[in-house]
Amino acid sequence: MLGIFKGRLSVFKGSVMSTELLIKADLEHKHLEEAFSLAVEYERWLSAYREDSYITKINRNAGIKPVECPPEVIEVIGIALRVAERSKGLYDPTIGVLTQGLFGFGTKRERIPDEEEVKLLLRLVDYKKVKVSENTVFLKEKGMRLDLGGVAKGWTAQKLAEFLMEKGASKALVSVGGEICCFGKEWRVAVKEDKEKYLGIIETTKEKTTISTSGTYERFINNPKFHHILNPERGMQESFYTSLTLVSKGFLGGELDALTTACFNLPPTEINTLTEKY
């Protein structure tokens, strides 16, 4: 997604969670840099691609023992599990055994597996087998893997927007790979259809707003048909959309991120049934 802005604002551009980070706020630039540092820390905790992250520790200890985690990690996983429950598994944070494991998305071993390989691992995709206590997380079966790619970016965008508010910002926009939280002015946000085309412009109010987009055009194997958003029920890709955007009043970063992923696995006629729950 691409923002179109007016006004006197400090701007920070960077990279985090394997995607672009954009921050705009009416604050001194140092506060935007502080927000970026927070995002880097969240990536260190939540990325399944980092050997030292809490998510990697949880995955390595699947079926063995619970892993103690900071409150922020517990919060993100809690959000993921709530959306998984409300969507009846159309979003499932335990999809990592397929996304990062079998398909190898984000690794040097990306490939398109056959259906039999997928079926063998589907039993390990089950959010109900994630046990979360006050400060620990446990995957009940060996081989299970968390993938928080469908929730962490939106959650991070919200946390950074809240941080900027605490620092005194009266208007700001944070975009983490197209997961947007903004407030304080009437922002205009262009929604991508693919890497070259735009579907239209979202015009926000001055109130807190969350915008989430899922698409097939950024990450895929060979061609967009084999994109990175898998349907947890059958372990393969759906082809209902090339791009899907949800907009919500208030800050609903992690929830809307995960909800957009779930909706990507539904035909257009069934989306309202799920989104009405929010």
Side-chain angles (χ1 to χ4, degrees):
M1 302 184 72
L2 174 68
I4 305 171
F5 310 97
K6 296 179 181 179
R8 291 180 175 274
L9 298 166
S10 296
V11 181
F12 182 95
K13 294 181 179 180
S15 178
V16 70
M17 298 181 176
S18 301
T19 192
E20 294 180 355
L21 171 71
L22 173 65
I23 306 173
K24 294 205 169 200
D26 57 344
L27 292 173
E28 293 181 47
H29 198 270
K30 67 177 183 178
H31 295 308
L32 278 63
E33 294 173 353
E34 290 168 354
F36 172 65
S37 296
L38 279 178
V40 171
E41 183 76 347
Y42 295 150
E43 178 181 21
R44 188 175 68 82
W45 290 351
L46 299 170
S47 174
Y49 297 102
R50 292 183 61 107
E51 292 297 313
D52 60 344
S53 75
Y54 286 101
I55 302 308
T56 297
K57 292 175 184 177
I58 292 167
N59 291 344
R60 283 177 178 167
N61 285 281
I64 300 172
K65 64 179 181 179
V67 174
E68 188 172 343
C69 301
E72 293 87 350
V73 175
I74 299 293
E75 179 183 339
V76 178
I77 295 174
I79 292 170
L81 294 177
R82 286 198 300 274
V83 178
E85 182 68 28
R86 291 182 181 181
S87 68
K88 297 181 179 179
L90 282 173
Y91 165 78
D92 193 319
T94 64
I95 197 72
V97 67
L98 297 178
T99 52
Q100 296 157 351
L102 193 59
F103 282 83
F105 285 112
T107 73
K108 295 180 180 179
R109 47 180 179 74
E110 290 186 349
R111 69 186 184 92
I112 302 170
D114 60 49
E115 291 186 12
E116 289 304 314
E117 289 179 286
V118 172
K119 288 178 180 178
L120 285 173
L121 292 178
L122 271 178
R123 66 177 183 82
L124 296 174
V125 180
D126 187 351
Y127 67 92
K128 294 179 181 179
K129 295 178 181 178
V130 183
K131 182 179 179 181
V132 180
S133 71
E134 185 176 344
N135 64 344
T136 66
V137 180
F138 179 52
L139 304 181
K140 294 182 179 180
E141 286 197 41
K142 285 187 177 181
M144 291 183 70
R145 294 177 65 170
L146 287 176
D147 176 356
L148 299 182
V151 64
K153 295 181 182 67
W155 179 85
T156 298
Q158 177 173 335
K159 289 297 179 182
L160 268 54
E162 291 171 344
F163 170 80
L164 296 172
M165 291 186 75
E166 291 172 1
K167 291 296 181 180
S170 64
K171 52 187 173 183
L173 179 145
V174 178
S175 173
V176 184
E179 302 300 319
I180 293 175
C181 285
C182 57
F183 65 91
K185 65 169 290 186
E186 296 174 349
W187 300 94
R188 302 183 70 233
V189 180
V191 182
K192 280 185 177 181
E193 179 179 12
D194 54 37
K195 287 188 175 181
E196 304 297 331
K197 301 177 183 177
Y198 292 88
L199 289 172
I201 301 291
I202 295 172
E203 296 185 358
T204 75
T205 68
K206 294 181 180 180
E207 302 302 315
K208 295 177 183 177
T209 303
T210 304
I211 303 171
S212 176
T213 296
S214 290
T216 64
Y217 49 84
E218 291 290 351
R219 181 178 291 181
F220 54 83
I221 302 173
N222 296 340
N223 68 72
K225 176 182 176 181
F226 297 104
H227 56 80
H228 70 292
I229 305 171
L230 304 182
N231 185 331
E233 293 182 342
R234 60 189 195 89
M236 296 298 291
Q237 295 85 353
E238 300 292 355
S239 56
F240 300 119
Y241 318 96
T242 57
S243 180
L244 175 67
T245 297
L246 298 182
V247 182
S248 173
K249 295 179 180 179
F251 284 166
L252 202 68
E255 286 91 343
L256 202 66
D257 190 354
L259 185 62
T260 307
T261 303
C263 288
F264 211 83
N265 293 315
L266 284 173
T269 54
E270 297 180 24
I271 284 182
N272 285 346
T273 302
L274 179 56
T275 56
E276 283 173 356
K277 297 179 182 180
Y278 289 83

